[in-house]
């Protein structure tokens, strides 16, 4: 039985696949990868969301998948580590300048 949105009321484990041929469109593939990464999503999740949006469907899964979560966490950790590194460099520079002035 399906709901009003034509989605199964009971989730299925059936894996469906859509293969696209992007012959000679490396630029498009790279743009898709880059855009998905900036949104913290896997390519699959980003494309599925885009297709849902384009067809007027409600998103089926707003929670990130394992891959999406990994990308999002990695992005946050990279930012935190970069900020920490800048602080450490500043502290070392200040310490070195302080010692040389003494």
């Amino acid at each position: 039985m399906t709901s009003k949105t034509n989605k199964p009321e009971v989730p299925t484990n059936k894996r469906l696949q859509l293969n696209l041929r992007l012959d000679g469109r490396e630029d498009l593939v790279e743009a898709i990868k880059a855009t998905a990464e900036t949104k913290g999503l896997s390519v699959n999740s980003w494309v599925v969301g885009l297709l849902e949006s384009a067809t007027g469907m409600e998103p089926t899964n707003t929670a990130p998948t394992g891959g999406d979560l990994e990308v999002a966490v990695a992005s946050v950790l990279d930012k935190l580590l970069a900020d920490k590194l800048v602080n450490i460099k500043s502290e070392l520079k200040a310490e070195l300048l302080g010692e040389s002035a003494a």
Side-chain angles (χ1 to χ4, degrees), residues 15 36 39-49 52 60-74:
R15 182 176 179 154
K39 304 235 183 247
L41 298 170
S42 66
V43 169
N44 184 72
S45 293
W46 183 76
V47 171
V48 168
E52 287 172 336
T60 56
N61 184 8
T62 56
T65 63
D68 297 336
L69 192 56
E70 184 179 337
V71 169
V73 168

Side-chain angles (χ1 to χ4, degrees), residues 21-22 24-35 46:
R21 286 186 10 214
L22 301 173
R25 293 299 312 266
E26 291 89 4
D27 60 331
L28 181 57
V29 172
E30 293 307 316
I32 289 169
K33 287 179 183 178
T35 304
W46 183 76

Side-chain angles (χ1 to χ4, degrees), residues 69-85:
L69 192 56
E70 184 179 337
V71 169
V73 168
S75 176
V76 170
L77 288 176
D78 286 346
K79 169 100 174 77
L80 290 171
L81 288 172
D83 291 346
K84 189 100 172 152
L85 183 59

